[in-house]
DNA sequence: CCAGACGTTGTT
DNA sequence: GTCTGG
DNA sequence: CCAGACGTTGTT
DNA sequence: GTCTGG
């Protein structure tokens, strides 16, 4: 799973670092860099879509299916989408073959379950938070699907995204040891492949070597 | 033909 | 919107 | 994960 | 105790 991210980079710096255009319009005021963004806060987050892969946009992290008329975050959880399930289920993003996006992050958080014994000799499970980053803390991509959705609150069509998840690689299985999942982490090259349609959702089920070889660092914090 | 589903799994 | 199950 | 709820109403 | 909602 992946519900918690870090994105502390101002949008202009982020654009410069990644060779992107800054978001257009007034929406850029909606994004606040935060060291910890909880998916359940339904935040605006910096994203890219296949419509124009060099144009950074702000989207809502919580895919809202196009047939929903009102904001609805109760019927189903759309923060994540499991890559193995997308074909076997009717999907919330029925345009999953077309609507590729990425979420730009500095890192994401996972909690490791650690067995311990308390003072009374009782077994407990404590949770240690880990920040997962790329070398030098450089920003990277999480693969997403998006849906266009008319947001009544601002009377505009917005992008809503769901982060793809897959079985954990060795490092992530060690940290996220309860569910053993990981988000689909994309380096710049694979982000381009994803946004240009050279990668499909199903490819992320495979590609074990790529996911094993990611130069990730996990920091306790 | 209509009704119902459509998703995931978690902290400070 | 689109598919599935009855 | 934690906080909060935890119920019923009615025909062929 | 167990489920639901966020």
């Amino acid at each position: 799973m992946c519900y918690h991210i870090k994105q502390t980079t101002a949008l202009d710096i982020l654009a410069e670092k990644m060779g992107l255009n800054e978001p257009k319009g007034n929406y850029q005021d909606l994004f606040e860099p935060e060291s910890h963004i909880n998916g359940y806060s339904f935040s605006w987050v910096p994203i890219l879509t296949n419509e124009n892969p060099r144009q950074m946009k702000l989207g809502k992290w919580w895919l809202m299916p196009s047939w929903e008329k009102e904001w609805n975050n109760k019927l189903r959880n759309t923060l994540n989408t499991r890559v193995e399930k997308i074909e076997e289920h009717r999907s919330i993003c029925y345009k999953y073959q077309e609507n590729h996006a990425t979420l730009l992050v500095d890192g994401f958080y996972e909690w490791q379950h650690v067995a311990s014994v308390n003072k009374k000799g009782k077994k407990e499970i404590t949770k240690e938070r880990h920040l997962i980053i790329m070398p030098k803390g450089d920003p990277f991509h999480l693969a997403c699907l998006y849906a266009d959705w008319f947001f009544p609150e601002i009377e505009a069509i917005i992008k809503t995204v769901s982060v793809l998840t897959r079985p954990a690689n060795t490092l992530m299985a060690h940290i996220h040891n309860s569910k053993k999942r990981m988000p689909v982490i994309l380096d710049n090259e694979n982000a381009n492949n994803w946004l240009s349609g050279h990668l499909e959702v199903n490819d992320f089920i495979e590609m074990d070597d790529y996911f094993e070889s990611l130069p990730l660092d996990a920091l306790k914090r």
Side-chain angles (χ1 to χ4, degrees), chain A residues 4-6 35-36 107-111 129-132:
Chain A
H4 304 270
I5 59 168
K6 170 180 161 129
S35 61
H36 182 178
F108 62 92
Y109 296 99
E110 290 294 358
W111 279 259
R129 190 172 78 167
H130 294 252
L131 171 65
I132 291 84

Side-chain angles (χ1 to χ4, degrees), chain A residues 113-128:
Chain A
H113 290 207
V114 181
S116 60
V117 178
N118 68 13
K119 291 165 194 164
K120 294 176 181 169
K122 276 194 170 179
K123 285 181 186 170
E124 282 186 334
I125 292 194
T126 55
K127 282 141 201 163
E128 284 194 352

Side-chain angles (χ1 to χ4, degrees), chain A residues 102 141 143 184-199 204 207 210-211 213-214:
Chain A
T102 70
H141 304 256
V184 174
I185 298 164
L186 299 178
D187 55 24
N188 289 330
E189 184 188 347
N190 276 326
N192 287 335
N193 290 336
W194 171 239
L195 294 171
S196 63
H198 290 111
L199 282 174
F204 298 135
M207 292 175 67
Y210 164 74
F211 287 105
S213 71
L214 286 166

Side-chain angles (χ1 to χ4, degrees), chain A residues 9 24 28 36 39 58-59 87 90 98 107 111 124 158 188:
Chain A
T9 316
K24 295 175 186 165
Q28 46 188 304
H36 182 178
L58 288 179
E87 285 198 326
R90 284 182 294 276
E98 303 159 37
W111 279 259
E124 282 186 334
I158 63 168
N188 289 330

Side-chain angles (χ1 to χ4, degrees), chain A residues 36-164:
Chain A
H36 182 178
I37 297 172
N38 180 343
Y40 275 118
S41 60
F42 315 118
S43 306
W44 292 94
V45 286
I47 62 165
L48 302 179
T49 73
N50 53 0
E51 289 176 341
N52 185 350
R54 300 252 65 85
Q55 178 61 56
M56 201 194 308
K57 298 176 182 177
L58 288 179
K60 278 260 172 192
W61 185 12
W62 182 276
L63 190 147
M64 195 58 79
S66 53
W67 61 88
E68 296 282 359
K69 295 283 180 275
E70 302 292 328
W71 181 263
N72 181 345
N73 52 252
K74 290 170 190 166
L75 245 55
R76 59 188 76 81
N77 176 344
T78 66
L79 289 174
N80 292 170
T81 297
R82 298 167 70 101
V83 295
E84 315 94 300
K85 298 281 183 188
I86 191 127
E87 285 198 326
E88 98 183 42
H89 290 304
R90 284 182 294 276
S91 173
I92 45 167
C93 187
Y94 63 94
K95 293 186 173 172
Y96 68 90
Q97 293 174 47
E98 303 159 37
N99 292 2
H100 294 188
T102 70
L103 170 57
L104 300 174
V105 301
D106 290 338
F108 62 92
Y109 296 99
E110 290 294 358
W111 279 259
Q112 184 174 36
H113 290 207
V114 181
S116 60
V117 178
N118 68 13
K119 291 165 194 164
K120 294 176 181 169
K122 276 194 170 179
K123 285 181 186 170
E124 282 186 334
I125 292 194
T126 55
K127 282 141 201 163
E128 284 194 352
R129 190 172 78 167
H130 294 252
L131 171 65
I132 291 84
I133 57 169
M134 290 288 245
K136 293 179 281 179
D138 279 347
F140 58 96
H141 304 256
L142 301 180
C144 295
L145 296 172
Y146 77 88
D148 285 317
W149 190 69
F150 180 78
F151 191 16
E153 202 173 295
I154 59 173
E155 298 191 319
I157 291 170
I158 63 168
K159 305 287 180 198
T160 66
V161 302
S162 179
V163 172
L164 294 175

